[in-house]
Amino acid sequence: MKYYIITGEASGDLHASNLMKELKNEDAQAQFRFWGGDLMQAQGGEMVKHYRETAFMGFVTVLKNLKTIRANFRLCETDLLNFAPDVLILVDYPGFNLRMAAFAKKHGIRVHYYISPKIWAWKESRVKKIKAYVDRMFTIFPFETEFYKKHNYEVSFGGNPLFDAIENRENKDETFDHFIERNQLSNKPIIALLAGSRKQEIERILPVMLQVIPRFPDYQFVIAAAPSITKEFYASVSKGNDLSFVYNQTYDLLQQSKAALVASGTATLETALLRIPQVVCYKMSGGSIAYRLGKMLLNIKYISLVNLVVDKFVVKELIQQYCNPDNISKELDLIINDEVYRSKMLTNYEELNVHLGGAGASARFAKMIYEDIQAIKA
């Protein structure tokens, strides 16, 4: 069968690639065409656009790139119809994907949404479009299932594919000595810096993280560089700091770290599943006014997925004006040096396994997708 997949960022590329791998196990005749990244490309098929060419974040950035965005929509619409897939599989990326869902529905193409947009946190009204245009929604968090149930929309929960990505990672038995030798790092203990995957995020968050470095001279701070961001860009943001980077080794870096400073997002959950204590750091444009406005508009108690999944305070969230060097340093010192505090966080991490269903999610989702299409074609 023919599968057309659209994702717009690095995490989507990861999850879609694992889904493709499992779909090939279900369907020996699987053909793929996709908007994605290098990991999806490694699974075979034809890539139309790399996500680094389509990732536009923020109102101003979108306005500046409207011509390109419109051209991408036209290209995607034409390409989708020419490929004539058995199913369109959308991975998060709602600004682009919900429009493509509407287009596909209009032209009789079955639509599956794999990894729901975060409409439970922001723009809840988008649920109307999902109910109208999406034939099957596959959720990866239990609280998403409850959210859709509230809106009388049936979804399929199959666990969280991050378990598979982490379990199947390369170098999971690597030693600290081998890691630092391979990456030409010092032998000091490591603090990992995960400052986001988009330029706008990195510009806001990384400079604050870097101000913490002089306060911890016994540690080396290493950036988990986003695949689509150049070293030159990181250098321009760091303003003269001599930084260490690793590319395409986020899990390897976290595994060898004493602790991590992490921008809100999927990375917070990845860090927890690898059992690394963390401080969640997030800043947006607009200062304290944006923070107060966000608290009024967002429909969630927490911004980190760790806290959301277990529905309690597990990791410290430092947001907007509270995301400053003093607060970050105070929390980092606790998770490094206070054994009771550190152990409590690690113990709370164990609850994630209970809530998220363990390994095998990618295979479960692939089976559901394949069987759904088979049933429609029968």
Side-chain angles (χ1 to χ4, degrees), residues 19 23 114 138-140 156-161 360-370:
L19 180 68
L23 281 170
Y114 176 58
F138 301 95
T139 58
I140 63 173
S156 302
F157 173 72
N160 195 293
S362 298
R364 290 191 290 272
F365 283 120
K367 185 177 179 65
M368 285 189 279
I369 290 169
Y370 180 70

Side-chain angles (χ1 to χ4, degrees), residues 140-171:
I140 63 173
F141 296 111
F143 62 79
E144 291 178 327
T145 304
E146 294 303 312
F147 168 83
Y148 283 111
K149 186 183 294 184
K150 181 182 71 174
H151 288 280
N152 299 310
Y153 182 64
E154 185 176 346
V155 299
S156 302
F157 173 72
N160 195 293
L162 276 179
F163 279 103
D164 299 327
I166 289 172
E167 179 62 26
N168 298 328
R169 70 190 187 276
E170 295 182 6
N171 303 318

Side-chain angles (χ1 to χ4, degrees), residues 71 85 98 103 119 128 173 184 268 272 288 324 330 338 349 376:
L98 284 176
F103 179 84
I119 61 172
K128 296 176 183 177
D173 297 320
Q184 298 181 309
T268 63
S288 59
N324 59 58
K330 179 181 178 181
D338 187 324
Y349 280 173
I376 295 298

Side-chain angles (χ1 to χ4, degrees), residues 321-334:
Q321 69 268 30
Y322 300 103
C323 181
N324 59 58
D326 289 341
N327 287 340
I328 295 172
S329 297
K330 179 181 178 181
E331 184 67 15
L332 182 57
D333 181 67
L334 283 172

Side-chain angles (χ1 to χ4, degrees), residues 24-37:
K24 288 189 292 185
N25 289 334
E26 291 288 335
D27 179 5
Q29 305 302 317
Q31 298 178 53
F32 299 108
R33 193 166 178 86
F34 56 88
W35 295 51

Side-chain angles (χ1 to χ4, degrees), residues 4 6-8 19 87-102 110-119 126 129-131 133-140 144 148 153 155-156 365 369 372:
Y4 199 103
I6 306 173
T7 186
L19 180 68
V87 64
L88 169 64
I89 301 174
L90 306 171
V91 185
D92 201 354
Y93 195 41
F96 192 92
N97 276 343
L98 284 176
R99 173 166 167 172
M100 289 310 303
R110 191 156 182 81
V111 179
H112 286 180
Y113 220 123
Y114 176 58
I115 303 184
S116 170
K118 298 174 180 63
I119 61 172
R126 280 177 165 171
K129 292 183 178 180
I130 288 173
K131 292 174 72 173
Y133 307 134
V134 177
D135 296 294
R136 287 283 300 274
M137 170 65 74
F138 301 95
T139 58
I140 63 173
E144 291 178 327
Y148 283 111
Y153 182 64
V155 299
S156 302
F365 283 120
I369 290 169
D372 177 86

